[in-house]
Amino acid sequence: QDVAFGNGTITNILAWREYDAVGLGDIDSLPITAFHANTRVEQSQLSNELRYAGRFGATSLTTGVYWFNQDLTYLENRILPLSAPGGLNWTGGGQQDHEAMGVFAQADIDLRESWILTLGGRYSTEEKVEIAKRHLIPKQRKAHGVKAKQVTLRDPVLKAIIQQYTR
């Protein structure tokens, strides 16, 4: 429920989702069991957005914060009984843990009846991680003669560094 505050409104949007799926695929479509695959997907997602929207004279302002967290597991069991003596039964897949946090703001300024100037910005820790991975870390590795295999910084480590040492 929206809450009136000053010249605007505070809105909170909370969302949660659980998803589980299990399947069996007949990959080769033969009348015998030659290549089948069992799959399992488990997903849990939680997000929250808190925003303020108001009007101040000729300016409409929207600002807020956003948080998103998702855990995803995908498993696939490939069954190939005819591929080798005793057949092949192999399971693979993986997990993904994803978190994003952001701050955003937008101002619409009425300049004239038919002219509106829109200014906005968004910043998130997710973007900082990508900037570090794509630009800052390769630049520092090159500058110091360090090869990628010599030092690995995973996302949780980068997030911790960003949250504690940047603004």
Side-chain angles (χ1 to χ4, degrees):
Q1 179 176 347
D2 292 343
V3 176
F5 184 80
N7 293 335
T9 304
I10 296 174
T11 303
N12 189 69
I13 301 169
L14 177 67
W16 171 71
R17 178 173 89 161
E18 288 283 335
Y19 174 79
D20 293 315
V22 176
L24 172 63
D26 183 357
I27 307 302
D28 56 27
S29 300
L30 293 175
I32 60 170
T33 302
F35 184 10
H36 284 73
N38 295 310
T39 58
R40 179 168 186 87
V41 177
E42 297 174 356
Q43 182 210 26
S44 176
Q45 178 179 314
L46 180 64
S47 65
N48 194 66
E49 178 180 311
L50 178 65
R51 72 172 174 252
Y52 174 80
R55 182 144 188 102
F56 303 91
T59 304
S60 293
L61 176 68
T62 302
T63 185
V65 294
Y66 179 76
W67 174 77
F68 172 86
N69 185 290
Q70 173 180 267
D71 297 320
L72 177 67
T73 301
Y74 175 80
L75 297 172
E76 182 174 300
N77 173 239
R78 296 183 179 188
I79 305 162
L80 297 118
L82 306 177
S83 64
L88 178 64
N89 188 337
W90 177 82
T91 300
Q95 290 184 293
Q96 176 190 23
D97 298 322
H98 180 206
E99 182 176 53
M101 294 175 276
V103 177
F104 59 91
Q106 177 175 318
D108 294 326
I109 305 166
D110 299 331
L111 300 176
R112 295 184 181 191
E113 190 174 308
S114 61
W115 285 82
I116 298 173
L117 174 64
T118 300
L119 305 170
R122 175 180 166 259
Y123 194 74
S124 73
T125 57
E126 192 174 49
E127 290 173 1
K128 286 183 180 181
V129 169
E130 288 305 312
I131 290 168
K133 285 167 52 176
R134 292 183 186 168
H135 305 288
L136 302 177
I137 294 171
K139 181 179 176 181
Q140 291 303 313
R141 280 189 180 135
K142 184 176 179 182
H144 298 283
V146 176
K147 295 181 180 176
K149 292 182 180 180
Q150 291 176 302
V151 176
T152 301
L153 295 172
R154 299 193 188 279
D155 286 3
V157 172
L158 290 174
K159 286 180 185 178
I161 293 168
I162 289 165
Q163 289 170 349
Q164 294 188 20
Y165 296 101
T166 65
R167 295 180 185 194

